[in-house]
Amino acid sequence: MSSNYKMKYNVDIVFVIDSTGSMSDLIDIVKKNAINFHTDIQAVMSKKGKTIQDFRIKVIAYRDYVADGADAMLRTDFFKLPEETEAFRDTVNSISAFGGGDEPEDGLEALAFAIRSKWNTEGLKRRQLIVVWSDASTHELGFGKEMENYPTRMAKDFNELTKWWGDKDNSGYMDYNSKRLILFTPDVPGWSDIRNSWDNVIHYMSEAGRGLEEVNYNQIIDAIAYSI
Amino acid sequence: MAGPSIVICSEREKLAGLGEDSFSYSFDCGDTGYISVFDGCGGMGAKKYPKVGNRSGARVASRLAAYVTDKLYEDKQFLFDGNDCQRLKERLTEEFAKIRNTIETENGLKLGGDLFKTMPTTASIAAVKNNGSSITCEFFWAGDSRGYFLDAEGLCQVTKDDIKTDEDAFTNLRSDGRMSNVIHAEGDFSLNTREIEISQPAMIITSTDGGFGYYGTPMDFEYIILSSLMESDSPEEWENKLSELIIPVTGDDFAVGIAVYGLDDIADCREHFKERCQFIKESYIDPVGENADEEQLLRLWQKYKPGYYRR
């Protein structure tokens, strides 16, 4: 008797994971739950009565261009879940926590890569989520630019990265209404600047240097599901 | 002169005990009354508070806003003197701050960013004064909950969504625009207001986005209100049938409040809106199939839109 029309969500998520030495506990949480991640998100979404049509996830594991050279940045393409769950799990399992050098890491470069992902632009309702986990502050963009493997097409400073993220007048590389940035990081330079000046951000402020030991899996699932 | 002849409120929690929508209404003070709905913002207000049974800030907020609105009415402070909005905002600010101070603890992760608010909720409140042949209606709102009236000419949205991008009701169904303003405990929010005079007979409607926001077009929302009315022999039945039409479609909790003025009873109401219901069905609902073409929907919306925004 009522409308025949039903809306569905296309969801893209990019995990941006600080993979330096102190992050092993958090990385273990992600590894342990990678295989169930799609099902767990779907379960929360189903309870909310929301239907997800296409669900994709991508991983960026980062360290420090100066201290870690070729191991500074691992980037995958999007995995379509549940079809590519095994490949997603294998990729996550290949991440281990080491390196990092000094305390700040190259989190802003990792975030820049995440922003420029090939987002799904199909579908009526979309969500483009970036979830960042780190227990450290960030170097300024370009800190490692003298290194051989530093990316050539990188935002030159925080202002340019802010433009890449965009605002309601200039959408940047992501859709303004669809994008969300979820930070599980300390309240330290880099992340706090983002929280204070960017739209569409939620910041779960952890204690610096403690590997996000206060964060548990259910919190992560809830934070993501509530952002969709 | 008195209150409305029919008042209904259809609402449902998606998850029993965890719902974040709320409502309140009252028509006990002579010629004036109000209907209101509130949608606690689950994303922004996901933080849970141990002191209130680990309920989310969103759930606490929608219930508190409903209570505050009802209390203001009970205190006979809807005076239609141009200051009702200010009085309501002050009361909301005061009570939200009080509850925040009571339930906030230092445990757990601290939250920040524009996607986080302490106890956030939308609101759509319609305070109504019956003048005989017409009604004076003060709409107060924050966020994306809406206030409407519906007469023989059709549904008219009176409120303007607080969203960051300037989109009409059809486009916003697709883009899911980010809210730019909600009621919350920090107090730096706006409560919008608009007063209009509406000829009777008419329905006054308030709805959270769970009621109207999961259909393909705004026309669907008018149609479910009218088609559920056409199948009902009592207000209770109308309330239930409206819920039955929303539940399979919505992806959210919902609350829809309706007050009918200028019609004697449900049969009179049915008769008055029969022709409009048939018109909406034939013009906007029947032509749309399951795999609706966006261009076709947009064409239909363009035809419907001038009436929808006629006031």
Side-chain angles (χ1 to χ4, degrees), chain B residues 138-155:
Chain B
E138 287 183 334
F139 288 90
F140 312 112
W141 74 97
D144 63 359
S145 291
R146 291 179 182 167
Y148 308 85
F149 71 88
L150 173 53
D151 61 16
E153 286 180 53
L155 186 67

Side-chain angles (χ1 to χ4, degrees), chain A residues 160-177:
Chain A
E160 187 171 8
L161 187 64
T162 300
K163 283 182 189 151
W164 287 16
W165 177 250
D167 56 30
K168 67 182 167 59
D169 300 319
N170 299 292
S171 64
Y173 285 104
M174 297 174 70
D175 180 75
Y176 183 76
N177 287 324

Side-chain angles (χ1 to χ4, degrees), chain A residues 1 3-7 47-49 124-125 127 168 176-177 180 195 199-203 205 226, chain B residues 14 42 109-115 164 167 173-178 215-216 220 223 248 251 288 294:
Chain A
M1 193 59 197
S3 173
N4 294 315
Y5 196 83
K6 186 145 188 164
M7 289 184 185
K47 280 184 189 168
K48 292 168 74 181
L124 289 177
K125 290 217 175 193
R127 283 289 180 265
K168 67 182 167 59
Y176 183 76
N177 287 324
R180 307 280 188 269
R195 180 190 71 235
D199 285 351
N200 295 11
V201 176
I202 186 157
H203 190 180
M205 287 171 256
Y226 272 109
Chain B
K14 205 75 187 167
L109 292 173
K110 204 173 142 200
L111 283 111
D114 68 323
L115 290 181
K164 291 196 175 183
E167 292 164 338
L173 287 173
R174 280 132 188 84
S175 63
D176 227 0
R178 278 262 296 110
Y215 291 94
D220 289 300
Y223 183 62
V288 177
E294 273 297 290

Side-chain angles (χ1 to χ4, degrees), chain B residues 181-252:
Chain B
N181 171 53
V182 290
I183 295 167
H184 62 98
E186 271 80 40
D188 54 334
F189 65 86
S190 303
L191 189 65
N192 306 290
T193 184
R194 191 171 169 209
E195 180 178 314
I196 61 168
E197 199 83 3
I198 299 164
S199 299
Q200 299 188 37
M203 300 178 195
I204 305 302
I205 300 164
T206 57
S207 176
T208 62
D209 71 334
F212 60 78
Y214 290 82
Y215 291 94
T217 70
M219 298 81 97
D220 289 300
F221 186 55
E222 178 177 344
Y223 183 62
I224 61 159
I225 291 168
L226 293 179
S227 62
S228 55
L229 168 65
M230 292 306 133
E231 293 178 353
S232 303
D233 291 319
S234 68
E236 294 74 26
E237 201 178 351
W238 185 15
E239 197 169 87
N240 290 334
K241 285 199 182 297
L242 182 55
S243 291
E244 284 167 19
L245 292 181
I246 296 173
I247 286 167
V249 178
T250 190
D252 207 345

Side-chain angles (χ1 to χ4, degrees), chain B residues 112-131:
Chain B
D114 68 323
L115 290 181
F116 170 74
K117 299 280 182 216
T118 305
M119 297 161 48
T121 184
T122 71
S124 173
I125 302 154
V128 189
K129 185 165 72 172
N130 190 350
N131 306 316

Side-chain angles (χ1 to χ4, degrees), chain B residues 147-166:
Chain B
Y148 308 85
F149 71 88
L150 173 53
D151 61 16
E153 286 180 53
L155 186 67
C156 176
Q157 183 182 330
V158 180
T159 58
K160 185 176 188 320
D161 300 345
D162 283 325
I163 52 173
K164 291 196 175 183
T165 42
D166 192 20

